[in-house]
Structure formats: structure tokens, C-alpha cells
Amino acid sequence: MNTAKGIVSIVAAVFAFAAALLWFKSTVVKVPPNEKPNENGIIEASITSDGADVIATARKQNHWNKLGALAASIAALAQGISLLIPST
């Protein structure tokens, strides 16, 4: 295997592994409900489930999903490039 093909394959593997970790993180992240009063002394309402603020948790999961998708797309691009590099 030539050096360029090997490097691109390693990049693909690293980003595929990163995507797996980022997507796993998106499945376990939880944001606890905010129970602190705002400047008016009011505790803002939130939808909670299983001890987590549903809306805030969904936003945080979306963040981690975006990063996972970015890493997966880089891995796919690197793998595609690796396939285009002729073996010597």
C-alpha cells in the first residue's frame, strides 16, 4: 500500500471512530431542568422527562448529532478518495 492511500485510509478510520463516539454522546446527553429563578424571581416552566429538560436536551443532542454527521461525512469522503488512489 502506498503512503498516500495509507494516510487517507487512516484519516477515514479516525473520523469514522470519531463519528461513532459523537453519535454515542448524542444518545446519552441530558440537560437537567433549570430550577433557578430568573431576574424576576420566576422559575421558568420546562417539559421534563426522566430528570431532563426535554427541549434543552433535544438541542444538545442536535449539537452532537451535527458533529457526528460531519465526522461521518469526512470519513466517507476520505474512504472514497482512498478508493480512487491506485494501489502500487
Side-chain angles (χ1 to χ4, degrees):
M1 181 184 304
N2 64 27
T3 305
K5 189 174 186 84
I7 291 170
V8 175
S9 292
I10 289 170
V11 168
V14 167
F15 278 96
F17 184 72
L21 292 176
L22 291 165
W23 274 328
F24 177 77
K25 174 70 174 174
S26 78
T27 68
V28 297
V29 68
K30 284 186 180 182
V31 177
N34 184 7
E35 298 177 1
K36 294 181 183 177
N38 64 15
E39 62 275 357
N40 298 321
I42 298 172
I43 298 175
E44 295 181 12
S46 64
I47 301 169
T48 59
S49 176
D50 196 25
D53 182 324
V54 173
I55 304 298
T57 297
R59 285 187 185 120
K60 189 64 84 170
Q61 287 173 330
N62 186 47
H63 168 76
W64 290 106
N65 274 317
K66 284 181 190 179
L67 294 176
L70 177 62
S73 65
I74 293 170
L77 180 64
Q79 185 64 36
I81 291 170
S82 172
L83 292 171
L84 294 175
I85 297 173
S87 297
T88 57

